[in-house]
Amino acid sequence: MAAPLRLKPLSRVAVSGGTHGNEMSGIYLAKHWLRDPRELQRSSFTITPFLSNLRAIEKCVRYVGQDLNRSFTTEFLSSVKAENEPYELNLAREINQTYGPKGSAQAFDFMFDLHNTTANMGTCLIVDSEENLLSMHMCHYIQTHYRLSPCPIYLYKSPDEEPYTIYSVAKAGLALELGPQAQGVVRADLFAQMRALIACGLDFIELFNKGTVFPAFEIEVYKFTGIVDYPRYPDGEISAMVHPKLQDKDFHPLNPGDPIFQTFSGEEVLYEGNVTIYPAFINEAAYYEKQIAFVKLEKHIFSIPSLQRE
Amino acid sequence: MTSCYVVHEAPVRRVAIFGGTHGNELSGVFLVKHWQENGAEIQRTSLEVKPFITNPRAVKKCTRYIDCDLNRVFDSDNLGMQVMDNIPYEVRRAQEINHIFGPKDSDDAYDLIFDLHNTTSNMGGTLILENSRNNFIIQMFHYIKNALTPNSCPVFLIEHPNLKYATTRSIAKHPIGVEVGPQPQGVLRADILDKMRKIIKHGLDFVHIFNEGKEFPPCTIEVYKIMEKVDFPRNKNDEITAVIHPSLQDQDWQPLNNGDPIFLTIDGETITYEGDSTVYPTFVNEAAYYEKKQAFVKTVKIKLTAKGIRSSFS
């Protein structure tokens, strides 16, 4: 059994809405909390809601110049301001100044980031890797206390990749990915789910700060292993759609030989991998341009040591 | 033979299928592109069918429009606007489309245009009718509805003194809107594409059978007639303060009665529908209508009867 983990209490927590300007649950929540933050407040830490990409929110688009949530690498954050650079590059530096700097002692202790997807991912929790033990404990707490739907845990980071998301400027973080919801639409059901998940995450921090001992546990997670692009014509245009049998089946097992695409003439394209995988982000609108039809995940079980305040 | 109830209608020889009038409604975009490469399934011997992408720049950017909504500018002001440098892209494009498929209200105009749309609302496969007295289209919709049974195929009548808008398809003698949902913008779903494809198949079959001389007896269909648009509740800064209530979300075409919930405020308060009569909401929570200040549209159910029809030359 791994040694118990002891961490300093968290004093500054942030929650970002509108990192993508057309994912409406977080935008409406953050706007509401900026007007009236009472429901976020707990006694042992401060919480700062903010709208991260105002220009994209204004235009109801994912981003203006480049994807903000891919802009928090050291390379981007340390770049020198240039005249024709994408809007989000400077925005990332500003956010890093306010809530980071990334990797420094002054950085915020924790950041939540609120997202929606057009894929049927339910109430998904996204963490960079299982090495982030505080976030893993929060996910476990949410899974055991938020009972309305299962909360699959998605670990997005490849082993030698640097974290690039907005919450990587804080010392730890968690993204909520709720779907299905069309871009530009706010649905009452997902709005309520996201609100309840944040309340649950904040309760966890409060308990941790007050000295609660969180015992060790084993937890099932889905870990990113790769992507699958759409079949395409030579000119780059997609030549097939996600197969009806795969559509909406995020986190369901996909076996070699299962259909994954259907061409416009009705032919099936089958999955040719060697092992069972678990697809997610199936038919996400924003990923057509990233050449991703779905991501491939592997199921793992990790042992997480107990956690207590220092 | 009840020939005294039968009117003779001109044959329908020139048909266009429009996709990409809104560039992020992908079923029509991909069907039309597919048919441009491989059109066998839309060919019928008695007519010519031209698949056409109406807003290629919006399609390329995967956005509804570039400067303004193409599906609102086919009125005489915009179609007659002098071409200058600062003319909105879609107005220029509307004039080009009118030149190819119109001119609107002239004898040279195309006989029939199907315009393919998607919505984020749960409207199923909906047919849109612009004119309650168009015998030919009502007969076609009757045929399509029967062919699709037991699946439902609602008909939405947008005839209204203020609410009717100048659609792209309106340049044809017989304008037909096809609206299939729910599908997010920028997403292509196989099930939604299939619904749209079947509607077009049966629509073209009808035109062909009509051209071949079949007589269609008088018929009656149920349609939902547009009555009023309903906006979201807003504060003094014009920001939305309540969302579509969970019990109205996804309930397009279902009866809404006095006292039924329609909105839920951020603070959890329910706002109910107040009205004397039952209405049938549609376009519930359509993404593109937030900027048009429209949360849903109220319709009423009415019946339309078409005279019997027969092609004037067979």
Side-chain angles (χ1 to χ4, degrees), chain B residues 22-95:
Chain B
H22 297 132
N24 54 11
E25 300 178 3
L26 296 190
S27 304
V29 171
F30 279 90
L31 276 174
V32 164
K33 284 184 179 178
H34 174 68
W35 289 331
Q36 284 176 334
E37 295 300 315
N38 185 352
E41 78 181 86
I42 52 168
Q43 298 311 324
R44 302 290 184 277
T45 50
S46 64
L47 57 150
E48 247 177 69
V49 183
K50 187 174 173 62
F52 187 79
I53 296 288
T54 41
N55 196 338
R57 278 181 61 189
V59 168
K60 186 135 207 263
K61 285 186 75 177
C62 195
T63 181
R64 185 175 173 89
Y65 55 78
I66 304 291
D67 294 324
C68 63
D69 193 335
L70 179 64
N71 211 30
R72 301 289 185 280
V73 293
F74 285 77
D75 52 75
S76 51
D77 283 357
N78 280 301
L79 293 177
M81 191 183 286
Q82 206 166 359
V83 177
M84 291 171 299
D85 284 347
N86 58 353
I87 186 172
Y89 167 69
E90 275 81 5
V91 172
R92 211 176 338 135
R93 185 66 184 154
Q95 295 183 357

Side-chain angles (χ1 to χ4, degrees), chain A residues 38-56:
Chain A
R38 280 174 299 176
E39 72 184 72
L40 296 178
Q41 284 156 6
R42 303 291 185 278
S43 62
S44 66
F45 60 95
T46 64
I47 172 112
T48 310
F50 70 108
L51 289 166
S52 41
N53 195 338
L54 286 172
R55 272 205 214 167

Side-chain angles (χ1 to χ4, degrees), chain A residues 188 195, chain B residues 233 241-249 256-274:
Chain A
R195 194 176 202 171
Chain B
T241 56
V243 298
I244 295 287
H245 195 280
S247 60
L248 177 60
Q249 179 71 49
L256 183 73
N257 295 305
N258 186 37
D260 287 346
I262 48 175
F263 296 112
L264 184 64
T265 71
I266 309 276
D267 299 318
E269 190 191 325
T270 294
I271 297 169
T272 56
Y273 168 61
E274 283 167 28

Side-chain angles (χ1 to χ4, degrees), chain A residues 72-85:
Chain A
F72 292 88
T73 58
T74 311
E75 189 196 338
F76 281 137
L77 294 178
S78 58
S79 62
V80 182
K81 187 169 182 179
E83 225 171 84
N84 289 324
E85 67 178 13

Side-chain angles (χ1 to χ4, degrees), chain A residues 24 28 31-32 35-36 39 118 181-189 191 195 230 233 237-244 247-248 262-266 283-286 288, chain B residues 26 30-31 33-34 38 41 120 183-191 193 197 232 235 239-246 249-250 264-268 285-288 290:
Chain A
M24 305 310 278
Y28 275 74
K31 280 186 178 174
H32 172 65
R35 279 190 295 263
D36 181 1
E39 72 184 72
T118 63
Q181 181 171 272
Q183 296 175 345
V185 164
V186 53
R187 287 182 63 102
D189 48 0
F191 180 86
R195 194 176 202 171
Y230 293 91
Y233 294 115
E237 188 140 295
I238 69 170
S239 61
M241 308 169 271
V242 167
H243 196 281
Q247 178 72 48
D248 305 325
Q262 187 180 58
T263 71
F264 299 110
S265 317
N283 213 349
E284 159 57 40
Y288 280 65
Chain B
L26 296 190
F30 279 90
L31 276 174
K33 284 184 179 178
H34 174 68
N38 185 352
E41 78 181 86
T120 64
Q183 180 172 270
Q185 297 173 346
V187 164
L188 184 62
R189 287 184 64 105
D191 51 355
L193 181 128
R197 199 172 200 164
F232 292 97
N235 64 19
E239 293 166 322
I240 290 173
T241 56
V243 298
I244 295 287
H245 195 280
Q249 179 71 49
D250 306 325
L264 184 64
T265 71
I266 309 276
D267 299 318
N285 216 351
E286 158 57 40
Y290 280 65

Side-chain angles (χ1 to χ4, degrees), chain A residues 142-180:
Chain A
I142 290 172
Q143 283 187 335
T144 45
H145 290 80
Y146 178 82
R147 298 305 192 96
L148 297 175
S149 58
C151 299
I153 299 167
Y154 176 135
L155 306 179
Y156 80 84
K157 199 176 77 64
S158 304
D160 27 2
E161 186 180 40
E162 186 196 357
Y164 50 71
T165 62
I166 187 169
Y167 65 78
S168 72
V169 306
K171 288 173 187 149
L174 175 69
L176 304 182
E177 188 72 73
L178 270 59

